[in-house]
Amino acid sequence: MNITPVIQNIEKAIVGKTDEIKLILAAMLAGGHVLLEDVPGTGKTVLAKALAKSFDCSFSRIQFTPDLLPSELTGINFYSPKTGEFTFRKGGLFANIVLGDEINRATPRTQSGLLESMDERQVSVDGTTHVLPAPYFVIATQNPVETQGTFPLPEAQLDRFMLQLNLGYPTAEESAKILAQQITPLQLLELQPVCAIDDLQKMQAEVKNTHIHEVIFTYIVALAEATRAHDAVLLGVSTRGMLALARLAQAYAAISGAEFVTPQDIKHLVPCVFAHRMILKGGVGRRAATALNILEDITSSVPAPVETFKASGANYKANSPTV
């Protein structure tokens, strides 16, 4: 799988976020969705736009606001006096890549319009089901700092996102490159597609062939059960979370050029897949800060499988009967 041209194309607009780009692409190839949560001005929207421009797919950007209606997402049946019939007018969700900007500014009623589309790749309007374009990928952004006029995403909706990423501030060197880049005509406007929709679908099918040994499944289950048994966790990772981790690991390994998933892949991906799915004791406001610490303790305490490599591939042997 050659995803390098796409990564290089996105990096023309985004500096110093190679691993984050790989994670987003892995989620896309795995059939999942991504939530970018960070303070304003860290490049969330630019990254989403650069991703969309790199693929020759239909793209829709939806600016979520408190007055946004669910019908603007899903579509609406409107009456035509000339024909005397109702015609379905598609909403913003009808695109291959959908950018939901500042998703937490919309009301819960509008946010719920995303649930069916993200889970089943379809929307229902007036009792009629409309299938969304394939492939279908949602990348949403939200600001965790500014809380006035926002509506926190419910846990059921957070669980629909395969992973959540925090971009963070760039380094001083990266900031200097960004200033030099942005002071001239924007690179984002000059980006051209480097991957056709057919190639994207082929890569999505290809990642499913990435091998995952049974002991890796057991390792994922052990990590998830450890979140449920932790003293500081009120609600641990669901079955959907475990499946998301396995699928993301397949795609991430494929993008990295590997033929199989390793325990190191799982450890690397656990924070961005599990953290937003955990409800901690002591209030939701503490969740983002402490979930990562809890997951660090869990990955340190749960024994990982030992790898032994052979010419024909990789076989795994558990170093503990609990794994």
Side-chain angles (χ1 to χ4, degrees):
M1 175 183 299
N2 186 17
I3 200 71
T4 303
V6 178
I7 296 175
Q8 293 175 342
N9 201 52
I10 297 174
E11 286 182 330
K12 293 178 181 179
I14 294 292
V15 177
K17 302 297 179 184
T18 302
D19 192 53
E20 287 79 1
I21 293 172
K22 289 177 63 178
L23 288 170
I24 293 173
L25 289 173
M28 188 178 188
L29 296 182
H33 309 286
V34 175
L35 177 63
L36 298 179
E37 182 182 70
D38 218 323
V39 297
T42 52
K44 301 186 296 296
T45 302
V46 174
L47 175 55
K49 284 184 175 180
L51 172 75
K53 282 179 171 287
S54 298
F55 292 94
D56 190 14
C57 301
S58 58
F59 171 67
S60 174
R61 177 184 177 181
I62 306 172
Q63 187 65 48
F64 280 73
T65 56
D67 60 347
L68 185 70
L69 299 175
S71 59
E72 296 181 71
L73 301 180
T74 60
I76 189 173
N77 289 314
F78 72 97
Y79 179 75
S80 175
K82 292 183 178 180
T83 62
E85 298 178 348
F86 284 92
T87 304
F88 179 68
R89 180 178 294 169
K90 296 179 179 179
L93 295 180
F94 282 82
N96 296 117
I97 301 176
V98 176
L99 167 59
D101 216 356
E102 296 184 302
I103 187 176
N104 57 330
R105 291 198 177 278
T107 62
R109 181 185 178 190
T110 300
Q111 291 178 12
S112 66
L114 279 171
L115 291 176
E116 184 181 9
S117 71
M118 293 173 64
D119 202 33
E120 302 177 38
R121 272 64 173 175
Q122 65 181 32
V123 295
S124 299
V125 180
D126 295 337
T128 302
T129 299
H130 303 271
V131 179
L132 295 168
Y136 182 70
F137 177 64
V138 174
I139 179 168
T141 71
Q142 70 171 355
N143 175 10
V145 178
E146 187 180 357
T147 57
Q148 283 188 329
T150 62
F151 303 87
L153 300 183
E155 304 303 328
Q157 187 163 346
L158 284 173
D159 202 26
R160 296 303 197 281
F161 288 98
M162 178 170 279
L163 72 149
Q164 176 180 313
L165 289 178
N166 301 85
L167 298 182
Y169 288 114
T171 64
E173 182 180 356
E174 291 167 352
S175 296
K177 290 182 180 179
I178 293 173
L179 290 175
Q181 181 186 82
Q182 297 297 325
I183 206 70
T184 56
L186 291 178
Q187 295 287 339
L188 182 62
L189 299 177
E190 302 171 359
L191 291 184
Q192 298 296 324
V194 294
C195 183
I197 189 171
D198 291 340
D199 295 328
L200 173 58
Q201 291 177 312
K202 289 178 182 178
M203 287 189 287
Q204 287 181 324
E206 185 179 343
V207 298
K208 296 178 181 178
N209 297 325
T210 306
H211 180 67
I212 303 184
H213 196 277
E214 289 183 2
V215 75
I216 296 294
F217 291 135
T218 306
Y219 182 45
I220 293 174
V221 172
L223 292 170
E225 289 184 340
T227 65
R228 302 167 189 170
H230 199 282
D231 292 338
V233 179
L234 182 64
L235 187 65
V237 175
S238 65
T239 304
R240 182 187 284 119
M242 292 188 292
L243 185 59
L245 179 57
R247 288 176 173 170
L248 183 65
Q250 275 186 305
Y252 190 78
I255 287 177
S256 302
E259 297 179 355
F260 48 84
V261 176
T262 67
Q264 284 69 31
D265 293 330
I266 301 300
K267 286 184 177 181
H268 180 62
L269 298 174
V270 159
C272 61
V273 178
F274 279 6
H276 66 287
R277 290 180 159 90
M278 296 164 53
I279 300 178
L280 306 186
K281 297 177 182 178
V284 176
R286 298 173 48 211
R287 179 182 57 206
T290 57
L292 296 178
N293 296 333
I294 292 173
L295 288 172
E296 185 177 353
D297 293 339
I298 288 175
T299 52
S300 299
S301 60
V302 176
V306 175
E307 303 174 76
T308 56
F309 296 94
K310 295 183 179 180
S312 59
N315 295 317
Y316 297 92
K317 180 176 64 177
N319 61 358
S320 169
T322 60
V323 178

